[in-house]
Amino acid sequence: MDKKYFFFDIDGTLCVKNPLGLGNYMPDSTKQALKELRENGHFIAIATGRGYALARPVMDELNILNMVHDGGNGITIDGQCLGIEPLDFEKCVKLVDECNEKGFAWSISFDNSRTRYTTDSRFLDETKDYDFMDTVEIKDLNLRDYKEIFKVYIASHYPEELTIETLKDLPWCRYGPTYIFVEPIDKSVGIERIIKHFGADLKDVVVFGDGRNDLSMFRPEWTSVAMGNACDELKQKADFVTKKNSEDGILYALEELGLVEKQLNFPQVDLSTVEGPVAT
């Protein structure tokens, strides 16, 4: 079999949300599938919208050395980050100016870290998001004092953000009810960079996903697999729809596509003992 290049989304794909609230976990069947892919010489990577600083701990915990991150604008190969493309600086400045005019609270990531910056307490007061990142208040924050912008976060409840005209010029996505992320959302860009790095063929790419932010990486040039728990839009674009990730969906897809040997059934996980990858 030709060498394949596998790219897996994290939440809802590699990792299952523990309904008991004890942290997300990777099913044993998925671990077994990844192990066999490695042994057969295939390339394995995470494909995530998260920034490098937030994604790296998960990558390490899952024992995967390669990653498309920052929504496709960054890649890591063999544990080494090979660069992250920032957002368009001037468009971000115009966005913040409009947010200030219309009263939207915001925060910004200027670097590759877990820290974002804002001018007052309104952003945290409105989003109630105290844990995802460290948020630092700088009263006289001036965007022009910085060279790059990687993400902008805007406090809003749907459909308030639709009134922000400058959002039309930037990629963005909503992951929760209290705010939106202005960030790259085309994971296929990073996938193409990795394939070019190795001089490989796009037809040997296989991607797995479940959410709307995976739509851009479901392309006709390669094989796309939607999890059974995926959104309907993704299932419609997929070459193959597998079982839910909690029902051995990754292993099942690889078996059905002839990419791994058939396995015995795996026992159900005792969720009360799971404290797996803290992917959020």
Side-chain angles (χ1 to χ4, degrees), residues 9-17 24-27 58 62 245 277 279:
D9 175 55
I10 302 175
D11 303 316
T13 302
L14 281 178
C15 293
V16 179
K17 184 175 182 179
N24 294 0
Y25 68 94
M26 181 189 288
V58 178
L62 298 181
N245 63 342

Side-chain angles (χ1 to χ4, degrees), residues 64-79:
I64 295 175
L65 297 177
N66 311 292
M67 178 169 60
V68 171
H69 45 93
D70 290 88
N73 276 28
I75 62 172
T76 292
I77 298 175
D78 291 331

Side-chain angles (χ1 to χ4, degrees), residues 29-256:
S29 62
T30 299
K31 295 177 183 178
Q32 174 63 30
L34 297 184
K35 179 176 181 290
E36 185 167 342
L37 291 178
R38 289 191 185 97
E39 291 174 348
N40 290 339
H42 299 300
F43 176 90
I44 299 174
I46 287 171
T48 179
R50 304 181 200 193
Y52 176 83
L54 292 170
R56 181 62 194 246
V58 178
M59 184 181 81
D60 292 341
E61 192 165 7
L62 298 181
N63 193 30
I64 295 175
L65 297 177
N66 311 292
M67 178 169 60
V68 171
H69 45 93
D70 290 88
N73 276 28
I75 62 172
T76 292
I77 298 175
D78 291 331
Q80 297 298 313
C81 179
L82 301 186
I84 305 169
E85 292 293 324
L87 293 170
D88 186 296
F89 190 89
E90 293 301 326
K91 289 180 180 179
C92 289
V93 170
K94 291 180 180 179
L95 172 63
V96 170
D97 287 343
E98 183 177 358
C99 286
N100 288 334
E101 292 172 4
K102 296 183 175 179
F104 288 95
W106 52 268
S107 63
I108 286 188
S109 293
F110 294 109
D111 54 22
N112 178 27
S113 73
R114 295 182 60 92
T115 303
R116 60 190 174 194
Y117 300 86
T118 187
T119 55
D120 54 50
S121 64
R122 286 193 310 132
F123 180 80
L124 287 181
D125 292 342
E126 294 181 23
T127 64
K128 309 299 183 185
D129 184 6
Y130 303 104
D131 301 321
F132 181 62
M133 297 181 71
D134 298 324
T135 305
V136 175
E137 295 178 21
I138 302 178
K139 185 176 181 179
D140 56 351
L141 178 64
N142 183 354
L143 273 59
R144 298 287 183 187
D145 291 337
Y146 300 86
K147 295 181 179 180
E148 296 177 321
I149 294 175
F150 289 94
K151 292 192 180 185
V152 184
Y153 310 89
I154 301 173
S156 70
H157 291 79
Y158 179 81
E160 296 172 342
E161 63 271 18
L162 301 183
T163 67
I164 305 174
E165 291 296 322
T166 46
L167 269 181
K168 297 176 182 179
D169 298 322
L170 288 161
W172 61 276
C173 192
R174 175 179 289 282
Y175 297 107
T178 60
Y179 69 116
I180 63 172
F181 289 50
V182 179
E183 62 178 7
I185 54 174
D186 191 348
K187 298 178 184 180
S188 71
V189 173
I191 291 173
E192 284 198 89
R193 284 180 62 191
I194 287 180
I195 297 305
K196 184 177 180 180
H197 175 88
F198 288 106
D201 196 316
L202 292 177
K203 70 177 177 60
D204 291 322
V205 170
V206 184
V207 301
F208 284 72
D210 72 295
R212 294 193 72 256
N213 66 328
D214 296 318
L215 286 168
S216 62
M217 75 171 181
F218 273 41
R219 288 178 30 179
E221 293 94 329
W222 51 63
T223 302
S224 301
V225 180
M227 306 306 295
N229 48 282
C231 64
D232 290 339
E233 300 99 312
L234 202 67
K235 290 180 179 178
Q236 292 169 6
K237 289 189 70 175
D239 297 303
F240 183 83
V241 178
T242 186
K243 297 179 181 180
K244 294 180 180 180
N245 63 342
S246 60
E247 298 172 350
D248 305 328
I250 287 180
L251 179 61
Y252 177 77
L254 294 173
E255 289 176 342
E256 293 300 305

Side-chain angles (χ1 to χ4, degrees), residues 256-276:
E256 293 300 305
L257 294 171
L259 297 169
V260 300
E261 295 293 328
K262 291 280 186 177
Q263 303 289 326
L264 296 175
N265 290 329
F266 285 82
Q268 292 295 311
V269 174
D270 180 357
L271 296 175
S272 65
T273 67
V274 170
E275 296 181 1

